[in-house]
Amino acid sequence: MVAPKPRPGGSTWIAFQPDCLPVHADIAHQMTAGFVKLFFRGAADQFDELRKKYSAHLPDGAEIKLAGKSVAIIRHVPKISDPQNKSFDKYAMEAEAALAAIQEIILAVKKAEQFT
């Protein structure tokens, strides 16, 4: 997980940058939107190549899409609707589901990397 730093009020993304990911890749848990996304930053021009490389390895329910100037592997997870005003205990199951989805995406990327 990225070290906490000052964020604007209402920020509800948690960023992860595991060393095992390709360069310029990171993961975000978009809590209130109900997504985890692995971003290949600045790789929109490589969309077809990345889709071909990773699509066969994605976990159920995940898809690969353009995301602005990036490419993202996206997976729906349960929403955490009010993370700033309710205790973590209220959302422990949702957080666990998000972490499990992140782990599945990381494993899929690592598997795809082995085949290239």
Side-chain angles (χ1 to χ4, degrees), residues 29-31 33-36 75-79 94 97-99 101-102:
H29 176 203
Q30 299 172 338
M31 294 185 286
F35 293 103
V36 292
R75 177 104 183 266
H76 288 274
V77 295
K79 290 181 182 182
E94 291 85 347
L99 290 171
I102 288 168

Side-chain angles (χ1 to χ4, degrees), residues 5-64:
K5 61 183 177 183
R7 303 226 184 252
S11 179
T12 59
W13 287 28
I14 298 175
F16 301 86
Q17 292 179 309
D19 292 338
C20 62
L21 292 180
V23 177
H24 305 297
D26 59 72
I27 297 176
H29 176 203
Q30 299 172 338
M31 294 185 286
T32 58
F35 293 103
V36 292
K37 296 180 181 180
L38 184 146
F39 290 99
F40 296 98
R41 301 286 179 187
D45 60 336
Q46 300 170 35
F47 175 72
D48 290 332
E49 177 185 328
L50 292 170
R51 184 182 59 191
K52 184 177 181 180
K53 182 176 184 174
Y54 294 107
S55 289
H57 303 283
L58 297 181
D60 290 341
E63 55 188 334
I64 189 164

Side-chain angles (χ1 to χ4, degrees), residues 80-115:
I80 297 178
S81 58
D82 193 12
Q84 296 172 335
N85 295 312
K86 295 190 179 170
S87 74
F88 178 79
D89 291 342
K90 169 127 175 77
Y91 295 112
M93 288 177 49
E94 291 85 347
E96 287 176 11
L99 290 171
I102 288 168
Q103 183 177 13
E104 288 177 351
I105 290 171
I106 289 171
L107 290 174
V109 167
K110 287 170 69 173
K111 186 174 183 180
E113 292 292 324
Q114 291 175 351
F115 289 98

